[in-house]
């Protein structure tokens, strides 16, 4: 088996940013520098260990049958968890990932963390608000910082070029910074060229991407909270190839180190329960952004449509009149309803339909027929 080599990380100072870089090489391919950068005021928190780079490149290496060799120190805990538990378990249940091994020049049990920051990502989406609002009510643990990363998500859905992705990231970051002020917490943005080197769809690897950005600042982050994609009742290692959210609770514990802990939040809630919860916080009314495509909700992508149906079923849609074009949604509702009925077997849509029924939303006779026909079709297709 060939080897992917992670060079010793170095810190470079740019004008107003500080960058953690590592040379990545593999036989038969040009080497490149993988980097993460932060505001220069955080330079002392950049952590010169291989951990961030190992985690960032783990899906690529497992996908391409490459052992990883790090020419730098690495967390002993992380190395043990990956080699002995995570990789064997995951790869036994995957066609996408192959069993590989990880080695490093030195293994350390050092705890780098000096700032003890507790943070979560601030995307302005439902999951992100659910985490922030839940922790704001928690008496044991408080968030101290919000984060915003450019590690692949800003080019994932629409296959944007690096330039388009950089522009979308800059626009979203500007808005996130403004919105973050309402929480009275600093927002730390971490930029990276990782997105340019991803070869698998973002939905299958987003935990690795985000956690790698956190691990480049282990001196800073003690606890990092990542919003769940699915409730824990949907945990399925057998579905690991369809999305990393299917096994995220496992990943979070396995990618934690002596310095930084990862936690998945909201595992007890369905998506609709999260929407219901955040709709009790007026801070979300003018700030919710769920759109796949832009910094404002387009209103017609799958995520925008789904969220508007969820809010409508809950009787809360009018509260979000500043972030959704509600008259337009009602004009196009029948067209979108067709999509909902076609996907009634998916948890997201099944719970919308159940709540709509409970709250007195009536289907038209034609929609009732379609619902039955689609249900039979989905059953025959074995979904
Ligand atoms: Zn949209």
């Amino acid at each position: 088996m060939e080897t992917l080599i992670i060079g010793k990380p170095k810190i470079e100072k740019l004008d107003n940013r500080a960058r953690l870089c590592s040379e990545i090489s593999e036989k038969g391919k040009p080497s490149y520098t993988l980097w993460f950068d932060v505001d220069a005021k955080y330079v002392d928190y950049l952590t010169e260990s291989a951990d961030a780079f190992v985690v960032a490149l783990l899906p690529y290496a497992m996908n391409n049958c490459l052992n990883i060799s790090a020419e730098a120190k690495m967390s002993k805990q992380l190395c043990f968890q990956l080699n002995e538990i995570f990789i064997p378990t995951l790869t036994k249940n995957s066609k996408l990932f192959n069993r590989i091994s990880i080695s490093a020049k030195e293994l350390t049990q050092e705890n780098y963390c000096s700032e003890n920051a507790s943070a979560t990502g601030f995307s302005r989406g439902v999951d992100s608000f659910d985490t922030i609002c839940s922790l704001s009510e928690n008496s044991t643990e408080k968030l101290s910082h919000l984060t915003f990363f450019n590690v692949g998500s800003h080019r994932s859905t629409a296959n944007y070029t690096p330039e388009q992705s950089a522009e979308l990231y800059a626009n979203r970051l500007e808005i996130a910074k403004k919105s973050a002020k309402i929480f009275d917490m600093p927002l730390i943005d971490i930029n990276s060229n990782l997105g340019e080197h991803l070869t698998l769809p973002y939905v299958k690897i987003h935990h690795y991407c985000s956690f790698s950005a956190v691990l480049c600042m282990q001196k800073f982050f003690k606890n990092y909270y990542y919003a769940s994609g699915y409730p824990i009742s949907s945990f399925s290692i057998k579905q690991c190839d369809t999305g990393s959210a299917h096994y995220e609770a496992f990943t979070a514990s396995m990618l934690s180190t002596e310095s930084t802990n990862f936690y998945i939040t909201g595992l007890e809630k369905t998506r609709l329960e999260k929407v219901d919860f955040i709709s009790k916080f007026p801070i979300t009314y003018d700030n919710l952004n769920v759109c796949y495509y832009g910094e404002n909700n387009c209103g017609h992508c799958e995520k925008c449509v789904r969220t508007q149906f969820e809010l409508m079923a809950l009787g809360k849609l009018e509260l979000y009149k500043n972030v959704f074009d509600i008259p337009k949604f009602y004009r196009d509702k029948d067209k979108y309803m067709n999509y909902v009925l076609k996907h009634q077997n998916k948890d997201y849509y099944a719970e919308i339909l159940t709540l709509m029924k409970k709250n007195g939303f009536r289907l038209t006779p034609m929609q009732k027929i379609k619902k039955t026909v689609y249900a039979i079709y989905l059953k025959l297709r074995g979904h």
Side-chain angles (χ1 to χ4, degrees), residues 123-143:
S123 66
R124 301 192 296 135
V126 169
D127 298 324
S128 166
F129 272 120
D130 178 66
T131 302
I132 299 168
C133 295
S134 298
L135 284 168
S136 74
E137 292 191 327
N138 187 291
S139 56
T140 338
E141 179 64 12
K142 290 274 180 253
L143 284 173

Side-chain angles (χ1 to χ4, degrees), residues 290-294 296-305:
V290 298
C291 190
Y292 275 130
Y293 296 110
N296 297 311
N297 296 312
C298 73
H300 55 76
C301 74
E302 189 272 336
K303 209 117 173 249
C304 282
V305 168

Side-chain angles (χ1 to χ4, degrees), residues 79-91:
C79 191
F80 168 77
Q81 288 163 177
L82 292 180
N83 279 332
E84 305 305 323
I85 308 170
F86 187 70
I87 294 171
T89 307
L90 184 64
T91 55

Side-chain angles (χ1 to χ4, degrees), residues 338-377:
N338 205 29
Y339 184 88
V340 174
L341 295 173
K342 260 187 192 167
H343 294 83
Q344 58 184 283
N345 60 325
K346 297 229 164 72
D347 288 350
Y348 289 148
Y349 291 105
E351 63 174 355
I352 290 172
L353 288 168
T354 305
L355 186 68
M356 283 177 68
K357 193 174 177 189
K358 189 176 156 208
N359 288 348
F361 289 88
R362 298 276 166 259
L363 296 179
T364 64
M366 182 51 87
Q367 285 168 342
K368 279 185 188 167
I369 294 168
K370 280 184 175 174
K371 185 169 186 281
T372 310
V373 171
Y374 286 136
I376 295 166
Y377 170 76

Side-chain angles (χ1 to χ4, degrees), residues 6 15 190 256 263 275 313 347 365-366:
I6 293 175
D15 286 347
I190 300 182
S256 294
Y263 298 99
V275 174
D347 288 350
M366 182 51 87

